[in-house]
Amino acid sequence: MAVILDAGRRFVRWGGVAGAAERNGGAGRARAAGPAGPAEGGAGPDGLGTAIGRMGAASGGGTPRSAETVGTVPEPWSRTVTLLVRATGVAAVLGIAVDVWLGLAVTPPAKVMGNLVRLLYVHPALATVALYLAFGLAALNSLLWLWPRTRRPFFDRLAAASVQTGIVFLVLTIVTGSLWGRPTWGVFWTWDPLLTFTALLLLFFLGYLAVRKATTDPVKRARRAAVTCLLAFIDVPVVHFSVIWWRTLHQTPTLLEPASPKVGGIMLATMLLSFLAFTLLFVWMLAYGYRLRVLKDFAESSEVAAALAERTGEAEQEEMGWGMRPGQIERASERLLVGIAEPAVRVGDDKPVAQSAEGRPAHPPGEAVLVDASRMGGGQ
Amino acid sequence: MWRDAALIAAKDLRIELRSRVLLNQLAPMAMLMLVLFAFALGPGRGALVPAAPGLFWTGTLFSALLAVQRSWAVEPVEGAHDPLHLAGMDSSGIFFGKLAAVLAELLTLEVLLGIGVVVLFGARVASPAELLLSTLAGTVGLAAVGVLYGALASGMHTKETLFPLLFLPVASPVLVAGTRAWQVALGTAHMGAGPWMTLLVVFAALYLSAGVLLYGPLEGTE
């Protein structure tokens, strides 16, 4: 944990571009483009900024200013943090390797469950990490983001990374649980309270990710994702009780629970090792999930910054002697946008192709065929 | 706060009274659901009567989906509430206002669904008090969750598909508890309705408080 906290602190100090936008408190409504708030331009409702950014990149007209803004990719981790994260990864992989060796080769099969008992070294650890660590961490970070005093992009990114990693563990939990259930209970799935609960939790997680995908405005995304996480979190106890009562109050609990075996000695050690190894794996994946988000945010905001710099650069060039006044710059940028939208205009609207010099409709070749064909069809 | 709530609720209900979308589209839709359920499980009453409570609450859940989406469709512009906040309106007031309007619409639909279940499926009401109380508690919870997630999904891309994905899993305890309470009330299950009523009331209380606490931050006005 210390690793990630350190990374977060460093990034907050570095002052990510999106971070600056969030601290300004603007809800992403476009403001004047300045070097202080390039992320806000990117928060436009329709991704216009991104489109312009792509055009700017394609035209290759890199002014010195855009090179300055886009040039350096931030490195969110110091050398120490990188080493610590790598050490965590190595420890996780080694731990899992030892766990596999102990679980498959060293530990004996159980009396009742036979070799199935070996799932004990995988499934409970996965489930614990997914249900408690991932979801708990996501809820905690969402709360910290929503609290105005502790609002940092760090918490939003960590919550997102936590949910994303949690989904991997949750799906693995369900898959290993089904593999265990088939030989033990005779079915892959049963409407056992814990299973139902886990399935609903997966749906909450997927909803959370869907919310994050549904907007490009970083502040809106963080705000709504945090609320989604907390709204799901307060539902957890209610869902828990409802599914338990759903089974027990209505039907007799017919489940053949796996006879809880007495676990001890090498088996216990293997199981405990699995908890440690999977927790380390989670932390490792979480750290990279977080890092990915920092870089993604930077990529998004620098794309927009480049586009804005492009526009400002053009304006400065015009002022210096190309004879374009500020009003003309707006028109020039409009022309730029019309350039993007041109094919749509031509298909949907017949004005540009209505009449040629001879007074006949001057369709572009492809469209002329289409229109004529439909007319012929109508006439016959 | 309550004055603000009354204003918002009156506004939404006035729009509904003038546009009649609920009456002309949602109510027939709810009836259609009952007919479809009968096609899926009928025509004999053997399967329909035991399933009636579940079908009623499934119908309610899907009606709530449409009612809430309609409730946010009448706020056409994203950030339509910003002027309300600027005018000094209370966030909780807006939340309770939207909630009251959705609640009124949902209760109307539920009366229709309830009559449909009794008439079309042949269900008999054993204890009306439990039926009414559980319906009221469950519907308040549904409306509260619905308004919260409606606000959350409003102004997002893909809000039409996002909202059901968020709303339905979270609202599932109402389906479980409401169905069980109705089974008791219709006499198809023999158990105490106590725990289920508690669950419905706790659910409603939880999301009403969540609305008071989170609706402001959700609209960005803390």
Side-chain angles (χ1 to χ4, degrees), chain A residues 28-307:
Chain A
R29 290 171 184 93
R31 278 193 206 170
E40 304 214 335
D46 50 5
L48 212 59
T50 323
I52 303 173
R54 294 224 177 87
M55 282 198 68
S59 70
T63 60
R65 184 187 280 250
S66 73
E68 202 176 280
T69 324
V70 187
T72 47
V73 176
E75 175 47 61
W77 291 344
S78 69
R79 188 179 284 269
T80 328
V81 175
T82 312
L83 280 176
L84 276 173
V85 171
R86 282 187 187 157
T88 313
V90 170
V93 172
L94 276 180
I96 290 172
V98 173
D99 194 50
V100 166
W101 173 65
L102 285 176
L104 291 181
V106 178
T107 52
K111 274 179 196 155
V112 183
M113 278 195 282
N115 280 324
L116 282 176
V117 79
R118 299 183 197 283
L119 273 164
L120 196 65
Y121 314 131
V122 183
H123 178 76
L126 284 172
T128 311
V129 169
L131 293 177
Y132 300 103
L133 200 57
F135 205 38
L137 207 58
L140 180 70
N141 282 295
S142 300
L143 197 64
L144 285 170
W145 191 91
L146 272 183
W147 195 260
R149 282 188 183 186
T150 50
R151 182 162 302 166
R152 302 279 182 280
F154 169 70
F155 295 122
D156 175 52
R157 291 181 183 130
L158 200 59
S162 179
V163 168
Q164 204 171 30
T165 318
I167 285 183
V168 176
F169 278 78
L170 205 53
V171 169
L172 284 174
T173 306
I174 292 174
V175 170
T176 51
S178 296
L179 289 178
W180 207 351
R182 182 79 176 102
T184 319
W185 300 333
V187 284
F188 283 114
W189 183 265
T190 168
W191 293 102
D192 163 78
L194 203 55
L195 265 70
T196 317
F197 179 69
T198 312
L200 274 173
L201 206 62
L202 181 65
L203 288 170
F204 288 164
F205 272 165
L206 292 176
Y208 177 90
L209 281 196
V211 169
R212 295 197 71 90
K213 288 261 165 66
T215 177
T216 47
D217 176 343
V219 181
K220 192 158 122 183
R221 182 177 60 202
R223 181 184 302 282
R224 303 213 173 172
V227 173
T228 309
C229 189
L230 289 181
L231 282 181
F233 192 70
I234 57 172
D235 206 30
V236 164
V238 185
V239 171
H240 192 70
F241 280 111
S242 71
V243 291
I244 287 177
W245 292 345
W246 181 51
R247 287 295 306 192
T248 49
L249 287 187
H250 190 237
Q251 294 172 21
T252 49
T254 47
L255 274 186
L256 182 71
E257 293 289 345
S260 56
K262 295 266 182 290
V263 180
I266 185 73
M267 290 169 82
L268 185 66
T270 312
M271 198 174 154
L272 289 178
L273 178 68
S274 76
F275 276 88
L276 182 70
F278 281 114
T279 306
L280 286 173
L281 182 70
F282 175 78
V283 172
W284 191 40
M285 288 169 76
L286 187 71
Y288 274 99
Y290 171 79
R291 184 190 157 89
L292 185 69
R293 274 178 175 73
V294 174
L295 296 177
K296 245 185 191 170
D297 284 350
F298 177 78
E300 271 170 25
S301 58
S302 64
E303 208 172 47
V304 175

Side-chain angles (χ1 to χ4, degrees), chain B residues 6-189:
Chain B
L7 281 172
I8 296 281
K11 175 205 72 139
D12 276 12
L13 290 175
R14 200 177 305 126
I15 293 177
E16 170 47 36
L17 280 180
R18 289 184 184 160
S19 65
R20 302 270 164 88
V21 169
L22 181 86
L23 203 67
N24 293 343
Q25 292 179 18
L26 274 191
M29 183 75 190
M31 286 295 117
L32 180 67
M33 269 190 259
L34 292 184
V35 174
L36 291 180
F37 289 148
F39 285 161
L41 299 174
R45 289 189 171 170
L48 281 173
V49 171
L55 298 181
F56 170 84
W57 279 101
T58 313
T60 303
L61 210 60
F62 284 106
S63 304
L65 210 61
L66 298 173
V68 171
Q69 278 182 336
R70 172 72 194 150
S71 158
W72 286 98
V74 301
E75 315 271 351
V77 187
E78 198 213 333
H81 283 169
D82 289 356
L84 301 183
H85 292 303
L86 283 177
M89 268 195 150
D90 193 32
S91 295
S92 313
I94 299 179
F95 169 69
F96 280 118
K98 297 293 284 183
L99 180 115
V102 170
L103 186 65
E105 294 169 5
L106 271 183
L107 287 173
T108 316
L109 284 173
E110 280 172 348
V111 169
L112 286 174
L113 277 172
I115 293 173
V117 162
V118 170
V119 173
L120 298 176
F121 297 173
R124 295 218 178 95
V125 182
S127 57
E130 276 173 348
L131 194 80
L132 289 179
L133 282 177
S134 62
T135 310
L136 192 64
T139 314
V140 170
L142 277 188
V145 177
V147 169
L148 274 171
Y149 279 107
L152 205 144
S154 72
M156 308 278 259
H157 317 311
T158 65
K159 58 173 177 292
E160 299 83 3
T161 40
L162 183 65
F163 173 65
L165 174 63
L166 297 173
F167 170 74
L168 290 175
V170 171
S172 58
V174 174
L175 182 63
V176 173
T179 302
R180 293 291 177 254
W182 264 57
Q183 284 177 342
V184 177
L186 296 185
T188 51

